[in-house]
């Protein structure tokens, strides 16, 4: 990226996304605070602070569950791609809600502690040898710290500064944070549950995350097994039929080497570039050609089909591949050209 | 309670060093190792918490990229 960094590059879609998120969170907190007291036993009524604490905590848990479901849902059905577009703002908001939960806990349980609240939080319960009454707060602290690191490194600067592999590795810690939150809930609120509703909701959320990841992984494995057919001509493999490739759409080809190319049909021509977006490894082959440029379905990064270069002033570039036609069959050379190499688009002769 | 105090003290020390490293990085280092950050100032407030939290990583990447910079200019 060569343009100057901005705090947030706002556009209509991001404003809409964030607006819907903010309304949904406010609505959840409002509805929770109205409904939850009705399910409490009369002998153990909710006080305002505990109610706010539970509202923030359950909201953060459900938000993180939804965030983790968006990835596999988008892999399984392209209609969920818009939810993926601004997921990092979703994550930052989740961290903020979790922080409100932590603050409300500290200021309710440790407000009058003779020692500093942070010390009291760490030392109030040290019964690590038992399940019932386990100091579940530790898992909450670990989850919150992890979410804070993820939120604090969500700006694109970090992706470029740390390099995509390191950034991606750090952000995979979202699963660690989720495991910590699940442990925090299982060893904490679920132990003293007075109404099974939250237990059922929590179980459904965790199951949904697990099942959707399993389904997406199965689909991915199935795609990986469908490698391009080798043919008699050296260095060329059969990618598929021209008839199966719609205008402005992509066709993903798996090579025996494990690499993938994305072939696009655009304006009566064919071009092939790497399937991996230089931004966040998004699947370019699942994107479309918009305004003559291949557009990543994840965050809208664009590349010229002929040379795999992002339009100026951006500097990202990906590898290109050579193509040829054999009747209606598209053949592709699996050896990638260096990133940014111009390859004359293959003209489709309809005769 | 001593263990809790020690943990908090270590965290405070870590955050203090982080604040120092972040302040140096965001005022002196960032513009030299990333051309896109050279004349962009507002976004630096946004990356301050990350620089404090991950200061050892920031320091190591900063040194690595700063060493690469003279070679790229040759």
């Amino acid at each position: 990226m060569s343009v100057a960094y901005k705090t947030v590059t706002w556009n209509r879609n991001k404003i809409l996304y964030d607006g819907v998120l903010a309304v949904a969170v406010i609505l959840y907190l409002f509805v929770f605070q109205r409904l939850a007291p009705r399910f409490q036993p009369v002998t153990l009524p909710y006080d305002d602070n505990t109610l706010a604490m539970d509202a923030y905590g359950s909201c953060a848990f459900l938000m993180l569950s939804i965030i983790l479901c968006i990835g596999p849902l988008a892999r399984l059905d392209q209609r969920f791609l818009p939810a993926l577009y601004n997921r990092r703002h979703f994550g930052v908001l989740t961290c903020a809600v979790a922080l409100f939960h932590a603050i409300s806990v500290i200021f309710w349980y440790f407000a009058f502690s003779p020692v500093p609240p942070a010390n009291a939080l760490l030392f109030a319960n040290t019964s690590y040898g038992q399940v019932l009454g386990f100091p579940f707060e530790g898992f909450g602290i670990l989850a919150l710290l992890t979410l804070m690191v993820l939120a604090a490194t969500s700006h694109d600067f970090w992706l470029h500064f740390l390099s995509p592999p390191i950034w991606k590795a750090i952000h995979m810690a979202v699963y660690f944070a989720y495991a910590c939150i699940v442990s925090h809930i299982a060893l904490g609120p679920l132990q003293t549950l007075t109404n099974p509703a939250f237990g059922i909701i929590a179980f459904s959320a965790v199951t949904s995350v697990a099942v959707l990841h399993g389904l997406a992984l199965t689909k991915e494995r199935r795609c990986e097994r469908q490698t391009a057919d080798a043919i008699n001509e050296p260095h060329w493999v059969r990618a598929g039929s021209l008839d199966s490739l719609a205008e402005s759409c992509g066709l993903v080809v798996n090579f025996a080497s494990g690499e993938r190319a994305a072939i696009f049909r655009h304006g009566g021509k064919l071009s092939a570039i790497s399937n991996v977006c230089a931004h966040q490894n998004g699947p370019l082959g699942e994107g479309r050609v918009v305004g003559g440029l291949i557009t990543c379905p994840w965050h809208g990064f664009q590349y010229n089909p002929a040379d795999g270069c992002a339009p100026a002033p951006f500097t990202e570039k990906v590898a290109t591949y050579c193509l040829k036609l054999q009747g209606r069959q598209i053949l592709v050379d699996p050896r990638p050209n260096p990133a940014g190499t111009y390859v004359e688009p293959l003209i489709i002769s309809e005769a | 309670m001593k263990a809790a105090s020690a943990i908090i003290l270590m965290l405070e020390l870590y955050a203090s060093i982080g604040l120092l490293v972040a302040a140096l990085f965001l005022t002196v280092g960032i513009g030299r190792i990333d051309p896109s950050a050279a004349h962009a100032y507002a976004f630096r407030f946004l990356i301050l918490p990350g620089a404090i939290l991950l200061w050892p990583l920031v320091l190591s990447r900063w040194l690595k990229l700063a060493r690469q910079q003279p070679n790229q200019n040759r």
Side-chain angles (χ1 to χ4, degrees), chain B residues 50-66:
Chain B
I52 296 171
L53 285 170
L54 296 179
W55 69 263
L57 191 56
V58 168
L59 208 54
S60 119
R61 288 291 297 170
W62 181 9
L63 291 174
K64 188 181 175 188
L65 292 170

Side-chain angles (χ1 to χ4, degrees), chain A residues 135-342:
Chain A
F136 65 99
E137 298 86 354
F139 287 114
I141 295 169
L142 278 176
L144 182 62
L145 285 175
T146 310
L147 289 179
M148 283 166 75
V149 169
L150 302 187
T153 55
S154 62
H155 193 279
D156 260 347
F157 161 79
W158 291 106
L159 182 70
H160 294 98
F161 174 64
L162 297 174
S163 79
I166 296 177
W167 189 87
K168 201 82 187 169
I170 290 173
H171 282 250
M172 288 301 278
V174 69
Y175 291 100
F176 171 72
Y178 193 64
C180 285
I181 292 180
V182 172
S183 308
H184 177 70
I185 292 169
L187 293 165
L190 289 188
Q191 300 280 336
T192 52
L193 208 60
T194 50
N195 189 292
F198 183 67
I200 293 166
I201 292 170
F203 179 77
S204 307
V206 175
T207 309
S208 302
V209 171
V211 168
L212 284 169
H213 276 77
L215 289 173
L217 191 69
T218 309
K219 189 187 176 187
E220 192 74 7
R221 289 270 159 83
R222 208 182 302 133
C223 290
E224 278 171 6
R225 277 199 294 270
Q226 292 168 350
T227 51
D229 298 335
I231 56 170
N232 284 335
E233 290 190 59
H235 303 310
W236 291 92
V237 292
R238 192 176 289 127
S241 167
L242 190 58
D243 303 315
S244 65
L245 188 55
E247 177 63 28
S248 299
C249 289
L251 172 71
V252 179
V253 193
N254 298 302
F255 300 125
S257 63
E259 288 183 35
R260 287 179 182 183
I263 302 172
F264 281 88
R265 186 172 185 161
H266 54 102
K269 295 173 190 167
L270 289 175
S271 291
I273 64 171
S274 165
N275 187 48
V276 183
C277 180
H279 177 225
Q280 279 188 31
N281 299 347
L284 290 173
E286 293 172 27
R288 293 179 67 86
V289 178
V290 179
L293 296 165
I294 294 167
T295 306
C296 180
W298 282 11
H299 302 100
F301 271 57
Q302 293 189 304
Y303 302 90
N304 191 321
D307 59 14
C309 291
F314 300 101
T315 53
E316 283 82 6
K317 50 189 172 183
V318 294
T320 54
Y321 288 85
C322 297
L323 294 173
K324 70 176 181 179
L325 280 171
Q326 192 178 61
R328 304 295 290 173
Q329 290 297 315
I330 306 166
L331 304 186
V332 57
D333 184 341
R335 295 168 301 174
N337 298 309
T341 304
Y342 181 85

Side-chain angles (χ1 to χ4, degrees), chain A residues 1-8 115 118-119 122-123 148-149 152-153 155 157-158 160-163 166 170, chain B residues 1 4-5 7-8 25 30 33-34 36-37 40 42-43 46-47 49-51 53-54 57-58 61-62 65:
Chain A
M1 192 173 275
S2 62
V3 285
Y5 291 117
K6 290 178 178 168
T7 45
V8 182
V115 292
N119 292 33
L122 287 174
F123 218 69
M148 283 166 75
V149 169
T153 55
H155 193 279
F157 161 79
W158 291 106
H160 294 98
F161 174 64
L162 297 174
S163 79
I166 296 177
I170 290 173
Chain B
M1 191 57 79
S5 301
I7 291 169
I8 300 293
F25 176 65
I30 193 168
I33 52 110
D34 192 336
S36 301
F43 93 101
L46 214 59
I47 63 170
L53 285 170
L54 296 179
L57 191 56
V58 168
R61 288 291 297 170
W62 181 9
L65 292 170

Side-chain angles (χ1 to χ4, degrees), chain B:
Chain B
M1 191 57 79
K2 275 183 185 169
S5 301
I7 291 169
I8 300 293
L9 186 69
M10 280 197 310
L11 288 175
E12 283 172 354
L13 192 67
Y14 180 90
S16 304
I17 300 171
L19 191 62
L20 191 72
V21 171
L24 280 172
F25 176 65
L26 295 180
T27 50
V28 182
I30 193 168
R32 295 184 187 173
I33 52 110
D34 192 336
S36 301
H39 300 291
Y41 301 101
F43 93 101
R44 296 183 191 195
F45 290 100
L46 214 59
I47 63 170
L48 177 68
I52 296 171
L53 285 170
L54 296 179
W55 69 263
L57 191 56
V58 168
L59 208 54
S60 119
R61 288 291 297 170
W62 181 9
L63 291 174
K64 188 181 175 188
L65 292 170
R67 270 192 225 115
Q68 284 172 359
Q69 216 67 16
N71 298 334
Q72 284 173 1
N73 292 340
R74 268 176 214 159

